[in-house]
């Protein structure tokens, strides 16, 4: 059995967990090519609740899309009861990867190799000639032992979460600290209103860097004046506060001056139960490991990361409004476009920065970094989470 310490110094990870004044950031090995990545895949992705997409992407029963989580092939599908289900994307016969393109499954998903077929519950329903010519059953072969393997999944605020190892506490318990925090902004009734924008509701940014830089950057507002001068002209650094969630699962920042302004003076409808004394508060929270959320009185977004390799990350942005009219009607199309453009431009400003962070990590002289004890707390919080999760199995 390989050991983490063969790839990374455990002492360096312990230093990350020190108090912020005494800590350094995660060491270079966590961002560069090498054997470390496989430990990260197991401990920070397979063993955690992670986001692999949004449910709005699957509209009709039978829709299925393939997704690779750090090389692990998966199928996301909508079953006959409109439930999102996730399966390992591998045929139980000889291991062919079943699904390569999004598709609409009518009755069964058929393997192209020897034509075994599975229904929308992952049940093996057809095994042609398995017992010899024209014999579709075989003595001693028990079909039910060869169903597709389902992955534990849960949909929350339209995000599809999975826990591949099946080891985590139930998702509703897992998310309790963040739900509790946000219960002062919106109720379940408000949450049920979120509707994916019909147009201007999605963009993809491709970051030539490690996924962790996106989370670290999202956690802090320290960079606002220099990286986002436009944003900083109305939502200034001093109007922000830190968020550090306990247990140690999320971090981020909030603003006290959210005040959307669009051409023509029109505004989006608000969540009906959002308290009037909190209208100018918006929160930006990274839920570890791989999703960044934004909640505002009039819209919500999911900015989720697909780590492809140690230095390549796809950033998926999905935007939601309050109810069908705001999300779909022509009446709000111009506003949706303006809001989309604003987020696209802000997240693109960050993209340039996080790619530069990848370059910096090539320096053998870098010690992981020295935090501002006042401005970098949420970023340190995330680094500590990574270090602790890695160390906890050693
Ligand atoms: S590998 Fe799928 S049917 Fe043979
Ligand atoms: Fe930023």
């Amino acid at each position: 059995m390989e050991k983490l310490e063969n790839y990374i110094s455990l002492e360096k990870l312990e230093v990350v967990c020190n108090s912020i004044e005494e800590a350094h950031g995660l060491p270079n090995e966590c961002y560069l090519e090498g054997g470390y990545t496989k430990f990260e895949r197991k401990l920070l992705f397979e063993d955690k609740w992670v986001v692999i997409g949004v449910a709005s992407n699957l509209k009709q029963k039978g829709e299925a899309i393939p997704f690779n989580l750090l090389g692990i092939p998966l199928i996301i599908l909508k079953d006959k009861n409109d439930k999102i289900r996730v399966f390992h994307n591998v045929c139980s016969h000889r291991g062919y990867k079943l699904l390569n393109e999004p598709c609409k499954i009518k009755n069964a998903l058929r393997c192209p190799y020897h034509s075994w077929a599975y229904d929308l519950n992952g049940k093996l329903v057809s095994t042609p000639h398995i017992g010899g010519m024209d014999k579709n059953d075989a003595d001693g072969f028990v079909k039910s032992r060869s169903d597709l393997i389902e992955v534990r999944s849960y949909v929350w605020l339209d995000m599809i979460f999975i826990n591949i190892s099946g080891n985590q506490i139930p998702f509703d318990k897992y998310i309790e600290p963040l739900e509790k925090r946000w219960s002062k902004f919106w109720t379940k009734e408000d949450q049920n209103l979120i509707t994916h924008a019909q147009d201007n509701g999605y963009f993809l940014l491709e970051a030539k860097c490690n996924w962790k830089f996106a989370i670290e950057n999202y956690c802090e507002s320290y960079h606002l004046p220099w990286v986002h001068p436009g944003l900083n002209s109305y939502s200034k650094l001093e109007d922000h506060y830190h968020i550090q969630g306990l247990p140690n699962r999320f971090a981020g920042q909030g603003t006290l001056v959210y005040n959307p302004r669009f051409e023509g003076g029109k505004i989006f409808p608000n969540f009906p139960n959002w308290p009037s004394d909190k209208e100018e508060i918006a929160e930006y929270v990274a839920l570890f490991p791989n999703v960044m959320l934004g909640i505002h009185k009039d819209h919500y977004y999911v900015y989720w990361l697909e780590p492809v390799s140690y230095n390549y990350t796809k950033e998926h942005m999905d935007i939601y409004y309050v109810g069908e009219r705001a999300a779909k009607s022509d009446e709000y199309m111009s506003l949706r476009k303006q809001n989309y453009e604003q987020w696209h431009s802000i997240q693109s400003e960050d993209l340039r920065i996080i790619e530069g962070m990848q370059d910096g990590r090539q320096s053998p002289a870098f010690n992981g970094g020295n935090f501002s004890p006042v401005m970098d707390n949420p970023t340190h919080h995330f680094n500590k989470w990574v270090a602790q999760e890695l160390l906890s199995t050693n």
Side-chain angles (χ1 to χ4, degrees):
M1 183 65 182
E2 288 200 275
K3 288 207 144 106
L4 180 62
E5 62 249 50
N6 295 340
Y7 298 96
I8 190 165
S9 137
L10 300 186
E11 288 78 53
K12 284 188 193 169
L13 290 176
E14 277 155 13
V15 169
V16 177
C17 304
N18 286 344
S19 69
I20 193 163
E21 299 82 3
E22 304 287 323
H24 295 306
L26 290 164
N28 286 357
E29 291 88 329
C30 295
Y31 303 87
L32 301 177
E33 192 167 22
Y36 161 80
T37 321
K38 57 178 179 279
F39 292 92
E40 188 173 273
R41 182 176 100 169
K42 170 80 175 81
L43 299 171
L44 302 189
F45 286 86
E46 291 177 49
D47 287 355
K48 297 287 172 292
W49 282 109
V50 301
V51 174
I52 57 163
V54 297
S56 295
N57 243 346
L58 297 109
K59 299 209 165 34
Q60 294 167 15
K61 298 179 204 303
E63 269 189 53
I65 46 180
F67 183 82
N68 272 10
L69 181 68
L70 281 161
I72 301 174
L74 301 167
I75 300 170
I76 309 168
L77 63 76
K78 192 170 221 179
D79 74 10
K80 291 232 153 87
N81 301 317
D82 282 320
K83 188 175 182 312
I84 301 288
R85 317 258 303 249
V86 180
F87 296 93
H88 285 282
N89 187 1
V90 58
C91 179
S92 64
H93 177 219
R94 301 286 305 120
Y96 189 85
K97 182 180 165 192
L98 281 169
L99 188 69
N100 285 293
E101 296 293 332
C103 77
K104 174 98 188 285
I105 302 167
K106 275 218 185 80
N107 292 311
L109 177 61
R110 195 165 285 283
C111 177
Y113 198 176
H114 313 89
S115 210
W116 287 21
Y118 306 86
D119 70 10
L120 289 170
N121 297 319
K123 211 168 130 40
L124 178 62
V125 288
S126 167
T127 48
H129 310 309
I130 191 175
M133 221 32 224
D134 295 328
K135 286 167 78 181
N136 298 337
D137 291 294
D139 290 344
F141 181 81
V142 184
K143 271 206 187 87
S144 62
R145 287 196 205 135
S146 296
D147 294 339
L148 291 185
I149 296 170
E150 185 157 8
V151 177
R152 198 174 175 213
S153 65
Y154 195 98
V155 175
W156 182 66
L157 294 177
D158 206 45
M159 292 168 275
I160 304 166
F161 285 87
I162 58 165
N163 171 222
I164 294 187
S165 304
N167 62 325
Q168 270 296 331
I169 56 171
F171 187 82
D172 49 350
K173 284 269 167 302
Y174 182 87
I175 204 63
E176 239 171 40
L178 183 56
E179 266 205 320
K180 199 157 162 252
R181 175 179 187 89
W182 279 354
S183 64
K184 61 179 186 260
F185 297 115
W186 58 2
T187 62
K188 285 267 181 263
E189 183 199 347
D190 295 317
Q191 294 174 11
N192 289 338
L193 289 172
I194 60 162
T195 309
H196 199 280
Q198 179 163 288
D199 51 69
N200 297 290
Y202 172 79
F203 61 80
L204 168 70
L205 294 178
E206 295 183 82
K208 292 184 200 68
C209 68
N210 189 270
W211 64 276
K212 294 190 287 303
F213 290 128
I215 301 287
E216 292 171 11
N217 174 67
Y218 196 76
C219 282
E220 48 102 344
S221 46
Y222 190 10
H223 65 276
L224 268 172
W226 306 285
V227 179
H228 309 296
L231 178 62
N232 190 66
S233 67
Y234 55 88
S235 180
K236 294 190 195 318
L237 178 54
E238 59 266 37
D239 301 323
H240 288 74
Y241 57 91
H242 296 333
I243 298 169
Q244 288 161 110
L246 291 172
N248 195 350
R249 282 180 201 133
F250 63 86
Q253 28 121 6
T255 176
L256 299 168
V257 294
Y258 177 66
N259 179 18
R261 272 162 275 195
F262 298 109
E263 278 165 30
K266 197 172 161 67
I267 52 168
F268 283 113
N270 290 351
F271 289 108
N273 300 303
W274 194 282
S276 52
D277 63 343
K278 294 191 171 57
E279 286 203 353
E280 297 200 344
I281 300 180
E283 291 206 338
Y284 304 97
V285 162
L287 177 60
F288 311 150
N290 72 326
V291 63
M292 301 169 279
L293 303 169
I295 63 163
H296 318 74
K297 64 180 176 184
D298 61 349
H299 74 290
Y300 154 72
Y301 69 72
V302 174
Y303 193 31
W304 60 280
L305 301 176
E306 178 184 346
V308 179
S309 70
Y310 78 94
N311 64 354
Y312 176 47
T313 304
K314 290 184 180 173
E315 304 186 311
H316 302 270
M317 178 72 152
D318 284 281
I319 307 173
Y320 302 77
Y321 294 99
V322 184
E324 297 272 317
R325 233 174 96 208
K328 297 184 174 171
S329 74
D330 287 352
E331 187 187 344
Y332 289 99
M333 198 198 287
S334 153
L335 263 64
R336 288 194 295 272
K337 186 160 187 292
Q338 290 175 58
N339 199 35
Y340 168 100
E341 278 167 1
Q342 168 171 292
W343 283 121
H344 190 275
S345 112
I346 290 171
Q347 310 295 19
S348 302
E349 288 168 346
D350 284 317
L351 184 72
R352 287 194 292 276
I353 290 296
I354 62 174
E355 290 185 339
M357 297 289 287
Q358 187 72 35
D359 296 342
R361 288 290 180 154
Q362 297 294 338
S363 168
F366 187 61
N367 64 5
N370 306 291
F371 295 110
S372 153
V374 179
M375 307 303 271
D376 285 326
N377 311 69
T379 302
H380 178 229
H381 196 67
F382 170 64
N383 271 206
K384 239 173 20 186
W385 178 81
V386 172
Q388 281 167 355
E389 294 303 322
L390 294 169
L391 287 168
S392 66
T393 53
N394 274 272

